[in-house]
Amino acid sequence: MRPSGLVHRALLVLAFGSPLLCALPARAAAPKDAQAEKAITQAMDVDYLETKFDQAEKRLRTAIDACGVDKCTPSVKARALVALGVVLAGGKKQLEDAREVFVEALSLDKAAKPDEDMSSGEVKYAYENARKQLKLDGAPGPSVGGQPAPSGQGMTHTTPSEQRVDTPLPLYVRLAPELIQDAKKVAVNYLAPGASDWKTLVMKKVGEFGFGINVPCTDVTKEGNLDYYITITDADGAIVTGAGSRAQPLRTAIKARIEGEPPSWPGFAPPERCVKVESGPKQCLDDNQCNAGYSCVAGECTQKPTGGGEEPKDTGPRKNWVSITIAPDVSIFSGKDVCSVDVQERDHFVCVRSDGSRYLGAPTPGVANDVSAGLALSTIRVVAGYDRLFLDNILAGVRLGFAFRTSSAADASFLPVHAELRGSYFIGKTPFASLGARPFVFAAAGLAQIDTPVNVEVLEDGAACGAANPSDQNSPCTRPGNPTYEGTYVEPRIQTLKAYKQAGQGFLAIGGGLQYAPLERVAISVGLRANVTLPVVTFVLTPELGATIGF
């Protein structure tokens, strides 16, 4: 914990001030020393403690620039640089920048170092890497030969001296108990023999305090040196500790033949060569690290049983999808004199009285009895579907269902069945391999009848229905206006009918939509279908809302 208040100020004064006091007898103060001292105190004792890291950095850089080449004594400029390194590493988590600043400070004064009370894990890591870069305190280059690597505080790691070609390289780290809670990610960065790019592997928990990973066979196919370094980071991504660095990596020789015992994790058998498929044990964390025909059981690759054994793991996108969809139809049509008998027969209208009986009267031509062009809600259908996935992007299948909200009048036949063939194309490389949004387009054809009801007002023809005064709309009818049809009766002079436009019974359609998959086997879809019915031609828009399950 950091001390606070006057105690902390006193410690800072002692930490940053005592070297200067000791140096005074040996060398006179340079002209900018006092300015640098003041900047160090203000930046670390005020700005840094108040987490004003940008302000602290600016203050220290200004002081360092003022020091120039010879306007501050080396020890004072080095302490200003060390303070800047603390701000960059401990405050702003800029570890590489902090390392460079520490290198500059150590180049001026090899004894320069951060105060212990200000040295977080990030500060120590950057400072230690700076010392290694300058090869101070005998810091070695790449670690070779199976000796413990120069590791950060709280961890131990032994660098494998050699490994055979085509054999996974096992790497293992043990953390101190007090570091386990802070260590959220243990990663190894490595440069394979003959490779130009570094790769990263996240190590997995092995036991209570250990982490391990195997560098895969594909990266140990050539002889040469495999360089690597290990970093341990906390939940915020800050480096807590580590071993090696890209500039000073750890090193394992990859050889065609090795002399000693092959490397392994503590308590595990050495990994076997990848080119072999044998029944012997091989250390593993999951099935992906085992050869074909083997699975990871209790940390070792074990041959899968043949005949009646474990079923192959179900992997890849689901191929079969069943759905349930609700879809209201919205028709676009118009008509004139729609409830006259000849128009009903010719243009497929059915006019129904308020009591539900069929109207076959004699409306006055050219008076009301029209349907204006526009959108009208038609049938509503509920449809179940089955689709099969082909070529990662294409679904093809069938849909069956029933339609509601239709005419029930006598002589007004309606086909309630919905039958459809559909093909859908989902946009994207492998849309069913991941969760989330999946846009799609589709084409369909099938069997469906669409009934669209609209209200129509009619005036019965007064002359035809025997009105005493045909020109007076209030003069009632005295006989059926159209006695040709059986069941006709005396109509009111004025009445409102419900006229059904009957379209179909076949259709062609195109459309598109968006499917969203919150789970691997579950998806919700919304879409819009544009239809044209045949042989009775009507244009119909159909929004769709559905749920889908894959297996």
Side-chain angles (χ1 to χ4, degrees), residues 284-322:
C284 61
L285 291 173
D286 53 45
D287 290 353
N288 294 328
Q289 294 180 321
C290 298
N291 293 318
Y294 290 76
S295 59
C296 188
V297 179
E300 293 185 351
C301 289
T302 305
Q303 191 170 17
K304 294 180 180 179
T306 57
E310 180 184 355
E311 292 293 328
K313 187 182 291 185
D314 189 11
T315 59
R318 304 296 163 181
K319 297 293 186 181
N320 302 289
W321 295 85
V322 294

Side-chain angles (χ1 to χ4, degrees), residues 29-102:
K32 296 294 183 179
D33 279 356
Q35 180 180 330
E37 293 286 358
K38 183 177 179 181
I40 293 169
T41 301
Q42 184 70 19
M44 303 308 294
D45 202 19
V46 179
D47 299 335
Y48 186 78
L49 294 181
E50 292 178 358
T51 68
K52 298 177 180 177
F53 303 129
D54 290 337
Q55 187 169 317
E57 179 186 0
K58 182 178 180 181
R59 193 185 303 278
L60 290 168
R61 288 193 184 277
T62 300
I64 293 167
D65 290 342
C67 284
V69 178
D70 57 0
K71 292 183 175 57
C72 293
T73 56
S75 61
V76 172
K77 185 176 180 180
R79 289 197 311 104
L81 287 164
V82 167
L84 177 59
V86 170
V87 172
L88 294 175
K92 304 183 75 172
K93 314 301 181 187
Q94 298 173 357
L95 302 189
E96 280 301 307
D97 291 343
R99 178 189 58 76
E100 293 176 1
V101 170
F102 284 139

